[in-house]
Amino acid sequence: MAETSGPLTDISDTWSRSPLLTTKLYIPPARPNLVPRPHLTRRFDAGLTGKLTLISAPAGFGKTTVLSEWISHSRQRRVTWFTLDEGDNDPIRFWSYFIASLQRLTPGLGENTLSLFQSPQPPPLDVCLTVLLNELAAVAERFALVLDDYHYIENPTLHEAITFLLDHAPPQFHLIITTRVDPPLPLSRLRSRGQLTELRAADLRFTLAEAATFLNEVMGLNLSAEVVAALEPRTEGWIVGLQLAAMSMQGREDITGFVQAFTGSHRYILDYLTDEVLAQQPPVTQNFLLQTAILDRFCAPLCEAVTGQGDGQSTLERLEQANLFIVALDDARQWYRYHHLFAEVLQARLRQAQPDLEPVLHRRAREWLEQNGLTHEAINHALAGHDFEQAARLIERVHSVMWQKGEIKTLQAWLAAIPLSVWRTHPRLWLVQAWAAMTVGELSEADEQLREAEAALALLDEDHARSLRPEVLAFRASYASLSRDPAAVELTQQALQLLPQDYWMRGMLVVFLGAAYYATGDLHAAAEVLAQGRSMLSTPGMQSHRIHLLPLDGMVHHAQGQLRRAWSLIRQALDLVEPGGRPIPFVGTLFTYMCASQVLYDLNELDQVEIYLTRCVDQAVKFGSTESQVFALSGLAHLGLARDDLAAAENYTHQVEALLRTQTFNINIMAYVEYHHFLFLLKQNNLTAAAAWVESHTGRPGPLIPYFHHLARPQILMAQGNFDAALANLTTLVQEAQNTGHGRLLIKALVLQALVLQALGHTSQALPPLNQALSLAEPEGFIRLFVDEGEPMSNLLRQAHAHGIAPDYVTKLLAAFDAEGAGRQSRLEPVEGEAGEKSPLPPRSPTSLLIEPLSERELELLRLVADGLSNQEIAQELFLAVGTVKKHLNNIFGKLSVSSRTQAVAYARELDLL
């Protein structure tokens, strides 16, 4: 149940660097003198077998009270609580508290989900919530979560999320919602399925017997049955009305006359009786109530700071003892709030009686909250009190933490409330707005905000401008990198030199600089910069930066020939982009998949290459990244060449060509795509076209990364039989690769050099470069750099084996050749039919008709294959055995007349099955 809390208690966790208010997560303790309502308790108990309990009634009907009574009725019941307010319409804030509430029952629950919501480009709801649902399903015991005051939620996105959660919730999870108005959730559907328990105003009203108990035993009155019977219909069982009436009757002699005059609507009764209640309080208590009514929640020190009175704790205890609409928010009774209706009336009275005092009270509250580390609440009071200078100052202080938590919408709402005149004296606000715009991809708005910040520098005094100028430069460098400005490298270097070492943006700038060095082929500088970045980005809240840095660092090590280290880094990135085993559609996910395919290809893990490239295509379509689609489809075409499946290679090549006609693509992406096309031409023995490709790339200025055009020239010369020219070219390339630390390129160049010498009849001279290549490749596990060269390399490796060169490694490579040859042979053999007869593969075309259609289960499984899921992942998704998945796949292959997952997906798309 609830834990004891001090006045400044907050939640510190692994995914947030700013505190959450624990008072929002405490279950309101039940009062010892409540009216017993066992019939409602029984309804709550029965409702746990469904998905949702809805307590919907106007204010003052005791929704929260009856729920806290039910929870306290059995201390063994596993229930957690989240009290909502207007600020929880920010999705990140909502899910932060939602998951923090869950973690009070199960520590660590939901952390993967929150990391998705907090990413700068959050995934779709269903992706995030699927991860959360998987985590909820792993909890063994039944439990319930209460969303109290849900009427504050107006964000449609959150309503959609709760609907999804209810539709797919595991049976052990139950949701309870209290609200003044029915939420836009699928109540009719839940009701028709028997999954909804509803308690409304008619259920919550006090019966005549309950009203008598409340008035006489709880409120301490001694009313006759006749007076109770007369009062009850006037309040219609409205609990807060009865409470106000009872407080007004205390000390009165003419009780009967009071009851007879007691008429009107609930709101009228509330206003009337609040005046009556306030009038009966001592002046000191009246002032305390009015002045603290501006606070959403309060403790004794905060009340003392706001009112200037020094007896805050004793005053709160007296108010609670008097049942004066004050609600304890923790077991220690240190944090409280007023009943919402009571607070609203008090605030209205304050504005009427002392309109000039309200800004002063907000200022006092802001000062105390700021001093005690509750900056989020302090900003809200600064804005409420129109103290925009202080609000701007506080936003400047916390904006980096807000961005790292993903609370962009809250930041933007705060900024929207600040007048333009304040922005001119706080130009950092433009930077905050610019970074928010860059985060959501609105680059034109980001540029506009940056220009405003740059212009504002001229209006500041020199000391202020000098301190702000490096930040402006850092944001400009970030914009330049995102918009691919050629000045990005220089701007980033300048910003890193000028920024303080602990500045929050240094990590992302390091990623940008490392990418620039890698693109120019300076691997040493790139590795050095990214190594510094790894330590910078090791702190919580830096996940989005790490998602970019890790695979980039992996590619730098890959280019250096350090394949094992490269795969280790990329695996770390894969863990981040696939929490719960499902990918998040974040640009870093696409980049991670692209890098993983490169490293896995060199390791000869072709099935894994296919899985990640297929996932990349699928996620790129969802994310809208045509560049990533082009890269992945080109990679699949190259995979077809490696498998000697020219039909698949040609199919993917056509898809790439269609996309290339739609727009101009990044030069680094195009380097991969064009080189794969060159290899396709060589495979087709189209030497004329391949030579033309090389000529069109000859003399291009450019670094060794991407280095493919450096390899293409000796490769076309070898294909043309011009081995002397090829040898001269490779001699230069080997030297250049050695000088620049490009280990992978060096291995490939040495492999080609050995093949050229063998082709020239100099086998003895071919073995030294081959030996050097093997010595570099063996510790890292390179396979494809050798196997891709086919039979000539296989023959040369046998010569090396005969000379005792790297015998274990050569044996492993020759086994890979043998497996490659067996795979090619199997693709040439006919397919075994159901009756055992042999039949050739039929030609495939978009108009082909299947002899036997795919079943619904087979179509479902095929869609998961297209999503890039492995057999094990499909088995988990569909609750099947892995052997059953394989059986379904064999049936699918037979019906489609294909022999691989790639072919199946490609052909199914041709037939519009996917």
Side-chain angles (χ1 to χ4, degrees):
M1 303 298 290
E3 299 171 4
T4 300
S5 163
L8 304 181
T9 299
D10 60 36
I11 293 175
S12 298
D13 48 64
T14 58
W15 42 259
S16 172
R17 287 167 50 187
S18 65
L20 298 177
L21 291 167
T22 54
T23 54
K24 289 169 64 66
L25 306 178
Y26 274 107
I27 300 173
R31 295 177 181 274
N33 55 353
L34 284 175
V35 177
R37 311 192 77 185
H39 63 290
L40 296 180
T41 298
R42 288 192 294 270
R43 291 189 62 181
F44 283 126
D45 286 336
L48 289 175
T49 59
K51 290 191 173 185
L52 173 66
T53 294
L54 178 69
I55 310 173
S56 180
F61 273 90
K63 298 182 293 293
T64 300
T65 301
V66 72
L67 194 53
S68 65
E69 179 192 3
W70 168 69
I71 294 171
S72 66
H73 184 72
S74 172
R75 304 286 293 185
Q76 302 304 315
R77 190 174 287 112
R78 285 170 53 83
V79 182
T80 188
W81 192 282
F82 172 15
T83 298
L84 298 154
D85 56 44
E86 295 93 335
D88 295 315
N89 280 285
D90 184 308
I92 304 305
R93 177 181 165 91
F94 178 92
W95 292 111
S96 295
Y97 278 106
F98 189 100
I99 291 170
S101 177
L102 292 172
Q103 290 178 344
R104 293 174 75 82
L105 293 179
T106 306
L109 178 61
E111 289 186 6
N112 288 333
T113 306
L114 194 68
S115 68
L116 304 186
F117 280 113
Q118 290 180 340
S119 62
Q121 294 165 311
L125 270 177
D126 59 343
V127 175
C128 298
L129 294 177
T130 296
V131 175
L132 177 59
L133 286 164
N134 289 337
E135 294 187 83
L136 294 178
V139 178
E141 301 177 78
R142 285 183 174 273
F143 64 103
L145 184 144
V146 177
L147 295 179
D148 191 27
D149 291 335
Y150 192 81
H151 50 268
Y152 283 117
I153 299 303
E154 300 174 347
N155 188 335
T157 301
L158 293 176
H159 295 314
E160 293 173 14
I162 296 300
T163 297
F164 187 92
L165 208 61
L166 288 170
D167 285 342
H168 301 89
Q172 63 268 41
F173 174 73
H174 185 77
L175 186 66
I176 302 172
I177 289 177
T178 74
T179 177
R180 295 183 187 178
V181 295
D182 279 6
L185 302 175
L187 301 181
S188 297
R189 185 169 76 240
L190 292 169
R191 189 181 296 119
S192 67
R193 296 176 179 176
Q195 296 172 337
L196 173 65
T197 296
E198 299 174 84
L199 281 82
R200 299 188 174 275
D203 304 298
L204 298 172
R205 289 188 178 102
F206 273 164
T207 64
L208 182 60
E210 289 172 336
T213 301
F214 175 75
L215 291 169
N216 290 328
E217 297 183 15
V218 176
M219 297 304 296
L221 300 174
N222 187 22
L223 303 180
S224 66
E226 291 77 15
V227 170
V228 173
L231 182 60
E232 193 277 334
R234 282 175 164 79
T235 61
E236 298 178 345
W238 187 42
I239 299 170
V240 81
L242 282 169
Q243 185 176 357
L244 282 163
M247 296 181 70
S248 298
M249 284 188 285
Q250 289 174 343
R252 288 181 181 270
E253 295 183 1
D254 186 11
I255 298 298
T256 302
F258 175 83
V259 172
Q260 290 175 347
F262 189 61
T263 60
S265 68
H266 286 170
R267 186 67 202 210
Y268 170 79
I269 293 171
L270 180 70
D271 291 348
Y272 170 72
L273 290 181
T274 301
D275 285 341
E276 289 284 307
V277 171
L278 283 175
Q280 294 185 36
Q281 305 303 318
V284 172
T285 302
Q286 290 185 37
N287 286 333
F288 184 93
L289 290 170
L290 291 173
Q291 292 176 18
T292 55
I294 66 161
L295 302 169
D296 292 330
R297 52 190 64 83
F298 44 83
C299 59
L302 176 55
C303 290
E304 292 170 358
V306 170
T307 64
Q309 301 177 20
D311 56 348
Q313 188 62 41
S314 61
T315 301
L316 292 174
E317 291 172 359
R318 286 198 304 272
L319 294 176
E320 187 177 18
Q321 291 168 2
N323 289 312
L324 202 57
F325 302 101
I326 185 172
V327 179
L329 296 177
D330 57 67
D331 288 343
R333 281 176 159 71
Q334 293 181 331
W335 282 94
Y336 295 85
R337 69 168 174 84
Y338 291 121
H339 187 288
H340 295 311
L341 279 176
F342 191 59
E344 290 170 9
V345 173
L346 291 176
Q347 291 164 9
R349 295 294 183 273
L350 175 65
R351 295 187 189 101
Q352 292 172 0
Q354 304 177 72
D356 295 335
L357 182 59
E358 187 174 5
V360 176
L361 298 174
H362 281 298
R363 175 180 56 77
R364 294 173 182 171
R366 188 263 306 162
E367 290 174 348
W368 188 93
L369 290 164
E370 180 184 354
Q371 291 169 6
N372 287 275
L374 300 173
T375 310
H376 192 289
E377 301 296 307
I379 292 171
N380 288 335
H381 279 285
L383 293 173
H386 292 179
D387 195 347
F388 298 118
E389 284 287 337
Q390 294 299 326
R393 177 182 61 81
L394 291 173
I395 291 171
E396 289 178 321
R397 178 191 297 178
V398 301
H399 74 90
S400 64
V401 174
M402 296 291 287
W403 179 82
Q404 290 165 35
K405 289 175 60 182
E407 294 190 35
I408 305 301
K409 291 186 181 296
T410 298
L411 267 178
Q412 291 176 322
W414 284 343
L415 293 172
I418 296 179
L420 183 61
S421 58
V422 178
W423 289 58
R424 295 192 178 97
T425 56
H426 293 271
R428 189 176 280 108
L429 297 182
W430 272 302
L431 298 181
V432 177
Q433 187 80 310
W435 189 247
M438 281 188 270
T439 297
V440 298
E442 298 172 356
L443 294 185
S444 59
E445 181 185 345
D447 186 40
E448 181 180 340
Q449 299 297 329
L450 283 172
R451 292 180 188 278
E452 293 283 2
E454 289 162 345
L457 284 176
L459 304 177
L460 301 176
D461 62 82
E462 182 54 31
D463 288 342
H464 192 184
R466 187 183 305 110
S467 67
L468 191 60
R469 200 168 284 120
E471 293 183 54
V472 176
L473 179 61
F475 280 84
R476 176 55 72 185
S478 301
Y479 174 81
S481 297
L482 290 171
S483 59
R484 297 172 183 165
D485 188 325
V489 174
E490 182 179 355
L491 289 172
T492 304
Q493 290 174 325
Q494 292 176 9
L496 286 170
Q497 290 174 357
L498 297 175
L499 282 173
Q501 289 297 317
D502 59 351
Y503 189 66
W504 69 279
M505 267 189 65
R506 286 187 66 89
M508 198 65 225
L509 290 173
V510 166
V511 175
F512 290 145
L513 185 59
Y517 279 130
Y518 174 72
T520 61
D522 192 342
L523 300 183
H524 177 75
E528 190 175 70
V529 165
L530 294 174
Q532 296 172 5
R534 284 201 303 276
S535 61
M536 289 182 189
L537 304 183
S538 61
T539 56
M542 292 291 184
Q543 176 164 307
S544 62
H545 299 335
R546 290 200 302 275
I547 287 175
H548 287 93
L549 183 141
L550 288 170
L552 175 61
D553 201 5
M555 291 311 294
V556 171
H557 283 83
H558 180 241
Q560 290 177 319
Q562 300 167 12
L563 194 59
R564 298 190 185 280
R565 177 58 177 159
W567 179 232
S568 173
L569 290 164
I570 290 171
R571 284 186 63 181
Q572 294 176 49
L574 286 169
D575 289 340
L576 294 177
V577 303
E578 292 186 335
R582 299 299 297 270
I584 59 174
F586 175 50
V587 65
T589 304
L590 304 177
F591 182 51
T592 300
Y593 286 162
M594 293 157 67
C595 296
S597 71
Q598 298 296 299
V599 174
L600 287 166
Y601 183 85
D602 278 353
L603 290 168
N604 200 32
E605 297 290 345
L606 300 189
D607 289 343
Q608 288 294 306
V609 172
E610 181 179 6
I611 287 172
Y612 284 116
L613 288 176
T614 304
R615 287 181 186 177
C616 188
V617 172
D618 184 58
Q619 294 300 313
V621 170
K622 293 178 182 178
F623 194 73
S625 173
T626 309
E627 281 190 346
S628 297
Q629 289 180 63
V630 166
F631 178 95
L633 290 169
S634 175
L636 288 168
H638 185 226
L639 185 63
L641 297 182
R643 289 171 165 170
D644 207 25
D645 188 348
L646 291 181
E650 187 171 6
N651 176 40
Y652 286 118
T653 298
H654 290 328
Q655 294 183 51
V656 170
E657 290 171 347
L659 288 173
L660 290 178
R661 290 191 289 269
T662 64
Q663 66 185 77
T664 302
F665 294 94
N666 177 275
I667 185 173
N668 293 324
I669 295 290
M670 288 308 301
Y672 285 93
V673 172
E674 291 179 357
Y675 183 63
H676 288 163
H677 182 65
F678 166 75
L679 295 177
F680 181 65
L681 295 173
L682 284 184
K683 194 74 171 182
Q684 291 180 316
N685 202 32
N686 189 346
L687 300 187
T688 302
W693 185 95
V694 172
E695 290 304 318
S696 69
H697 290 73
T698 298
R700 273 193 185 183
L704 291 181
I705 297 288
Y707 52 72
F708 304 121
H709 56 283
H710 294 275
L711 286 172
R713 174 157 291 277
Q715 286 175 312
I716 187 61
L717 291 172
M718 292 169 66
Q720 293 171 332
N722 192 349
F723 296 111
D724 290 328
L727 183 60
N729 193 288
L730 286 166
T731 301
T732 301
L733 186 58
V734 166
Q735 188 63 51
E736 188 175 0
Q738 286 178 324
N739 294 340
T740 55
H742 286 69
R744 183 183 186 277
L745 177 60
L746 176 59
I747 296 170
K748 190 65 177 180
L750 289 167
V751 165
L752 295 179
Q753 190 179 57
L755 289 173
V756 168
L757 289 168
Q758 181 193 39
L760 290 170
H762 308 313
T763 301
S764 60
Q765 296 178 32
L767 292 179
L770 177 61
N771 187 15
Q772 185 181 354
L774 291 169
S775 65
L776 293 171
E778 181 176 10
E780 303 299 330
F782 282 98
I783 302 293
R784 294 305 309 187
L785 293 182
F786 299 89
V787 174
D788 280 345
E789 299 309 318
E791 187 177 352
M793 175 51 64
S794 175
N795 294 334
L796 187 57
L797 285 172
R798 295 182 194 283
Q799 292 283 337
H801 193 272
H803 285 77
I805 297 174
D808 294 339
Y809 186 44
V810 170
T811 299
K812 181 178 180 179
L813 291 174
L814 290 173
F817 274 100
D818 292 340
E820 189 78 7
R824 287 170 181 165
Q825 182 63 30
S826 67
R827 283 187 287 271
L828 296 175
E829 292 177 352
V831 177
E832 186 79 22
E834 287 188 359
E837 71 277 12
K838 304 286 185 176
S839 59
L841 284 172
R844 300 194 297 271
S845 71
T847 58
S848 299
L849 296 177
L850 297 177
I851 297 175
E852 181 183 352
L854 299 182
S855 67
E856 287 299 320
R857 175 61 100 182
E858 289 166 349
L859 284 170
E860 183 181 21
L861 192 144
L862 186 57
R863 293 187 190 101
L864 296 178
V865 171
D867 286 342
L869 272 66
S870 67
N871 289 352
Q872 182 65 45
E873 291 168 329
I874 293 172
Q876 293 173 353
E877 182 78 14
L878 300 181
F879 302 101
L880 300 174
V882 175
T884 304
V885 171
K886 292 179 179 178
K887 180 179 178 181
H888 281 305
L889 280 176
N890 287 334
N891 290 340
I892 292 170
F893 291 172
K895 291 179 180 182
L896 297 180
S897 298
V898 297
S899 59
S900 73
R901 296 162 63 101
T902 304
Q903 292 175 356
V905 171
Y907 189 31
R909 284 178 172 147
E910 289 179 11
L911 297 176
D912 292 328
L913 296 177
L914 296 176

